[in-house]
């Protein structure tokens, strides 16, 4: 009996709202834009974090390799909000608060698309997954570093190759996450 009365009252209220919709005052809330930030990390084709070996080269061209790998982050990731490119990640962006379609893309990675609820001060950390082609290229470039043995003297050609890999990092817009008091061979930065 109570459910029937509630259903009847809800129906009468809905009918009254429809009939009087034109006379009801309307005002659109004017929200101001908010800042939010996006940073990206990298994962391989199996969603495992991408790292590089912590390789240092001493002044006498000896290899020093630690067990703690270094995280790598992609730079220049295209950020689209509601279908419009608004910049590159990592970075800080502005949007009206609320639901938005966010798309992140970069060569060598699968596109990342989600509907996100943007709010002031939001910090998104997105793990971009490498494409099969991108991961194959990545492995090819880093295979040499994986094979280096600790305390082995490098040939001039091997030093040049490490410098070439460092150039690959800088020109491919990857950031090597260096922690405080960790000395990385200067051309790897």
């Amino acid at each position: 009996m109570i459910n029937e009365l509630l259903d009847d009252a809800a129906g009468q209220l809905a009918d009254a709202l429809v009939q009087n919709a034109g006379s009801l005052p309307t005002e659109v809330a004017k929200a101001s834009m908010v800042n939010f930030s996006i940073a990206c990390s990298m994962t391989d084709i199996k969603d495992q974090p991408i790292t590089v070996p912590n390789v240092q080269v001493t002044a006498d061209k000896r290899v020093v390799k630690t067990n703690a790998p270094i995280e790598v982050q992609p730079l220049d990731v295209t950020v689209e909000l509601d279908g419009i490119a608004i910049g590159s990640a990592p970075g800080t962006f502005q949007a009206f608060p609320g639901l938005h379609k966010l798309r992140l893309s970069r060569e060598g990675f699968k596109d990342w698309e989600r509907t996100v609820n943007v709010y002031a001060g939001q910090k998104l950390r997105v793990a971009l997954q490498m494409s099969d082609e991108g991961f194959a290229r990545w492995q090819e470039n880093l295979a040499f570093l994986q094979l280096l043995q600790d305390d082995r003297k490098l040939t001039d050609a091997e030093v040049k190759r490490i410098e070439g890999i460092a150039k690959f990092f800088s020109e491919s817009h990857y950031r090597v996450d260096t922690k405080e008091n960790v000395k990385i061979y200067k051309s790897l930065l």
Side-chain angles (χ1 to χ4, degrees), residues 21 24-28:
L24 293 174
T26 58
E27 188 170 325
V28 177

Side-chain angles (χ1 to χ4, degrees), residues 19-59:
Q19 289 175 357
N20 297 315
S23 64
L24 293 174
T26 58
E27 188 170 325
V28 177
K30 296 178 182 169
S32 58
M33 294 184 99
V34 296
N35 289 329
F36 67 102
S37 64
I38 300 173
C40 298
S41 61
M42 297 168 47
T43 63
D44 64 16
I45 55 178
K46 295 181 181 176
D47 275 333
Q48 297 301 308
I50 296 285
T51 59
V52 294
N54 185 355
V55 176
Q56 301 171 35
V57 180
T58 63

